[in-house]
Amino acid sequence: MKVTFYGHACFMLEVNGKKLLFDPFIRMNALAAHIDVESIAADYILLSHGHGDHVADAKEIADRTGATLISNHEVVTWFQNLGVANVWGMNIGGKRKFDFGTVHLVNAIHSSTMPDGSYGGNPGGFIIEAGGKVLYYAGDTALHKDMELIGLHHRPDIAILPIGDNYTMGVEDSLLCCNMIRCTKVIGVHYNTFPPIEIDTVNAIRQYEIENKELILMEIGESKEI
Ligand code: NI
Ligand code: MN
């Protein structure tokens, strides 16, 4: 599995020859101005919920690449109504085998309105089983007890967790999440994009080290084999 970070909560996962783009929010992110959206290829676009800071570039990239949009039923229907050709709707608790691996749509505690204010279903997170590895992307969420089920059933090798606080978990809750999901390796996302989610990154990394866990904070545009 290879991960490329595109800023905020957007990243590309490359596995089994497929490109999975998560929560594209690039053009409107000033910190990601050096990323050329038009050069991003995708076979699938996975959306955790309907908020603009997770779906802003989804239609443009889906239209250009023909990628299949995977999200909850309401989010994919909204995009289908905008003319996106290929969509796959799921709902919380369901799993589906695709040509790259298996996707589980799991619970997140957050909200999910679409950019035009219409209903965006329930927010979710994704567990991807592919290439002999398990990755958990929590989406925007509070810490919640259902995460223990992920520890029981999935034991992710790596978790991509929000750490910016205010709208989602912060660093302390992300450490509790690690214990619940039984994972010690985290890529932090959803921090430092806007003033309300600014964090002390040096301190965040130190807090992880104290608990013998690893917090990876990637540069925007950086790729990493995981
Ligand atoms: Ni959100
Ligand atoms: Mn968000």
Side-chain angles (χ1 to χ4, degrees), residues 17 44-45 60 66 73 97 102 110 112 139 153 164 169-170 190 198 206-207 213:
Y44 297 90
I45 300 172
E60 178 191 327
H73 170 74
K97 206 167 187 290
T102 299
H110 192 66
S112 178
H153 298 301
M169 291 190 282
H190 214 276
E198 270 168 20
R206 193 184 314 124
Q207 284 189 58
K213 298 178 174 83

Side-chain angles (χ1 to χ4, degrees), residues 49-51 108-113 121-123 140:
H49 64 296
H51 287 160
I109 295 195
H110 192 66
S111 55
S112 178
T113 3
N122 288 311
D140 281 9

